Amino acid sequence: MDTIHACFKEKIGEVLLPGDVFSFRLPESGDGSIKSEKIICGPGLRRNGEEVRVCKSGILRHKQPNMYWIDSQQRRYVPAKGESVIGIVTTKSGDVFKVDVGGSEQASLSYLAFEGATKRNRPNVQVGDLVYGQFTIANKDMEPELVCIDSCGRANGMGVFGADGLLFKVSLGLVRRLLAPQSEIIKDLEKIFPFELVVGMNGRVWVKAKTVQQTLIVTNLLETSENMTSQQRQTLFKRVAEGSL
Amino acid sequence: MSPMKLCVPGERLCSTEDCIPGTGTYLRHGYIFASLAGYVLRKNEGEELPVISVVRETETQLLPDVGAIVTCKVTSINPRFAKVHILYVGSTPLKDRFRGTIRREDVRATEKDKVETHKSFRPGDIVLAKVISLGDVQSNYLLTTAENELGVVVAHSEAGAQMVPISWCEMQCPRTHAKEFRKVARVQPEYLQA
């Protein structure tokens, strides 16, 4: 039980580079009491026959009971199925909108993929609008497809948004931290002043607060909290909260 | 062999009483005319009259015909169809690559509307298909894989290894053991090499 997990355990929390190999020499099959272990390789790890190779540089993370993955930082987004992203509508051609999601190709969004949309009742989407949607098809061989509707047919928060506010780009690692269930950054930010926030997994964040100045303050705080430890961040937020009162 | 006679389209070859028209010719007003530029070939087929035909080169070029089984390579996929290059007709390789299209509704015989092209083919796959139509001037050959023996024969996984079929809709990579979806052809056992 311990051979495979032990190989990984000593490297949890360490920085690994692409090309690092975990090879397991299983003991000779003399005794039949070997339990088969199952390990789930997450993003950044790939199995190659009898060994596991690292594909991306980053920190090895572990989640009970048997999931391992590499936590890597990158700014370039690669569309993946099921992820919710913020896109900008670039063209309207026939029944389909072309949406820029920051990937290598523009995604297509059908006009029927909105809540309550029928052939007669077209959604009110113009070029330049912001849309929040999910990918239904996203692989390296075809252009990705977005929908603003979930499997039951309800919008569930997706669709066109953002009459005002500011859209800016951050790294994918920060986006994952913001979207974590108990995100400390969000909790600390809430204490300063109220604002609206939409986070897309393609690294795009949209913010709107009561005044333009507050919007810009929130934008700057989010951009700088990428490279700060939590303590530095909390002192900075406290300073800003006192200064704005 | 006597030297072959050259002809151009529109040239009158002979009358219907002397020969039977073959490929590359057409009948008009009781005479046989050539429709291609090439060599005139007269063959005695064993019937009463010889067959006269026009060929481009000395060997006859095999063109994909309706109902022929062709081997093709997928070049690009689309939610509605897959584009392929036809490489072999039967077991003869072609000199030029003809283009073909496999529409989404022609991939399978059952559940045609639930087909997803990215789960049936990927660029680079070698596919066995059947020609259903020659198409117009601009469109390509229309192909179908809606039979058990038609579909993907050779495919490579994301890791680069050649995959092994495990069912009619899945293939597995021997190196990473990851499964991928394809519309797999059921090759007859006598054609499989050990």
Side-chain angles (χ1 to χ4, degrees):
Chain A
M1 174 67 184
D2 292 329
T3 39
I4 298 187
H5 283 276
C7 287
F8 278 112
K9 267 199 174 83
E10 55 194 25
K11 299 276 189 178
I12 291 179
E14 280 198 17
V15 175
L16 296 175
L17 295 175
D20 288 351
V21 170
F22 294 98
S23 56
F24 317 110
R25 253 173 299 111
L26 296 167
E28 308 296 317
S29 57
D31 50 342
S33 64
I34 299 178
K35 290 176 252 177
S36 61
E37 317 169 27
K38 191 165 127 172
I39 291 193
I40 299 180
C41 292
L45 292 174
R46 188 190 280 204
R47 174 180 171 178
N48 195 5
E50 285 302 316
E51 52 191 24
V52 173
R53 286 211 184 150
V54 176
C55 302
K56 282 202 172 155
S57 53
I59 302 178
L60 183 66
R61 300 261 187 239
H62 171 55
K63 183 173 155 184
Q64 297 293 342
N66 53 5
M67 188 145 83
Y68 295 93
W69 75 93
I70 302 281
D71 206 3
S72 57
Q73 281 279 52
Q74 65 180 54
R75 291 188 69 98
R76 162 73 67 177
Y77 177 64
V78 173
K81 183 171 167 173
E83 294 194 344
S84 309
V85 294
I86 297 181
I88 306 174
V89 178
T90 51
T91 47
K92 248 202 287 196
S93 62
D95 301 341
V96 151
F97 303 114
K98 287 279 184 233
V99 178
D100 166 38
V101 290
S104 56
E105 271 189 275
Q106 297 197 334
S108 67
L109 172 60
S110 162
Y111 75 96
L112 289 172
F114 289 87
E115 182 172 14
T118 59
K119 291 207 175 132
R120 298 248 187 104
N121 181 16
R122 288 175 177 244
N124 187 13
V125 178
Q126 306 303 325
V127 173
D129 279 351
L130 294 176
V131 281
Y132 186 70
Q134 255 184 350
F135 282 116
T136 47
I137 297 184
N139 53 48
K140 62 184 171 77
D141 299 316
M142 285 204 309
E143 69 163 1
E145 275 187 23
L146 273 179
V147 284
C148 286
I149 198 175
D150 63 5
S151 46
C152 305
R154 285 186 294 239
N156 211 9
M158 296 192 273
V160 181
F161 69 97
D164 296 317
L166 180 64
L167 179 78
F168 57 98
K169 204 164 168 347
V170 292
S171 81
L172 303 186
L174 178 63
V175 157
R176 284 198 291 265
R177 275 191 283 165
L178 287 173
L179 288 173
Q182 310 289 331
S183 173
E184 297 177 348
I185 311 181
I186 303 282
K187 280 202 193 133
D188 294 337
L189 268 179
E190 279 171 351
K191 296 177 195 150
I192 306 183
F193 34 61
F195 59 93
E196 279 181 62
L197 177 72
V198 179
V199 179
M201 293 209 55
N202 52 344
R204 293 189 180 160
V205 179
W206 177 85
V207 175
K208 180 172 156 185
K210 272 199 222 122
T211 67
V212 175
Q213 200 185 25
Q214 289 184 349
T215 310
L216 289 174
I217 292 175
V218 175
T219 306
N220 283 326
L221 287 176
L222 278 174
E223 281 178 343
T224 48
S225 57
E226 169 156 4
N227 293 326
M228 290 200 284
T229 62
S230 44
Q231 214 177 11
Q232 288 172 330
R233 198 186 57 234
Q234 274 160 357
T235 37
L236 174 64
F237 282 17
K238 243 185 259 170
R239 253 186 26 221
V240 171
E242 285 155 19
S244 68
L245 280 172
Chain B
M1 216 165 70
S2 57
M4 308 263 260
K5 185 174 152 251
L6 278 171
C7 66
V8 288
E11 191 171 319
R12 195 172 66 186
L13 299 175
C14 61
S15 84
T16 352
E17 293 150 22
D18 297 334
C19 300
I20 298 177
T23 61
T25 59
Y26 62 94
L27 268 181
R28 201 52 82 86
H29 307 305
Y31 288 98
I32 299 179
F33 293 84
S35 64
L36 293 178
Y39 295 99
V40 181
L41 194 64
R42 235 178 252 246
K43 252 199 245 174
N44 281 324
E45 293 278 313
E47 294 170 9
E48 298 160 3
L49 298 172
V51 176
I52 191 164
S53 56
V54 182
V55 290
R56 283 271 178 88
E57 296 142 350
T58 38
E59 309 115 35
T60 43
Q61 156 104 283
L62 193 60
L63 283 179
D65 205 5
V66 176
I69 307 277
V70 294
T71 309
C72 34
K73 185 176 199 172
V74 181
T75 51
S76 72
I77 55 174
N78 198 290
R80 281 171 307 170
F81 50 82
K83 296 249 185 210
V84 301
H85 275 172
I86 302 182
L87 306 171
Y88 286 72
V89 174
S91 33
T92 15
L94 293 175
K95 292 191 192 73
D96 309 307
R97 287 178 160 197
F98 293 112
R99 301 232 197 103
T101 306
I102 305 181
R103 287 180 307 176
R104 200 179 78 147
E105 51 264 23
D106 297 327
V107 172
R108 283 211 300 243
T110 54
E111 287 187 337
K112 286 185 193 179
D113 45 340
K114 291 205 189 137
V115 170
E116 297 186 64
T117 8
H118 62 102
K119 285 194 180 163
S120 317
F121 308 118
R122 287 289 171 111
D125 291 351
I126 307 289
V127 171
L128 270 177
K130 193 197 281 200
V131 180
I132 42 179
S133 156
L134 302 178
D136 317 334
V137 172
Q138 278 141 353
S139 71
N140 315 318
Y141 284 94
L142 266 186
L143 308 170
T144 178
T145 53
E147 274 172 40
N148 286 341
E149 285 80 26
L150 302 175
V152 175
V153 184
V154 171
H156 289 265
S157 71
E158 310 234 334
Q162 187 167 326
M163 291 199 287
V164 172
I166 46 182
S167 78
W168 69 275
C169 59
E170 273 188 328
M171 290 182 119
Q172 194 173 33
C173 169
R175 239 192 269 165
T176 57
H177 292 250
K179 290 189 192 166
E180 290 184 32
F181 290 105
R182 299 285 199 277
K183 199 271 173 191
V184 186
R186 189 177 64 188
V187 185
Q188 305 295 329
E190 56 255 21
Y191 293 127
L192 284 174
Q193 281 175 333

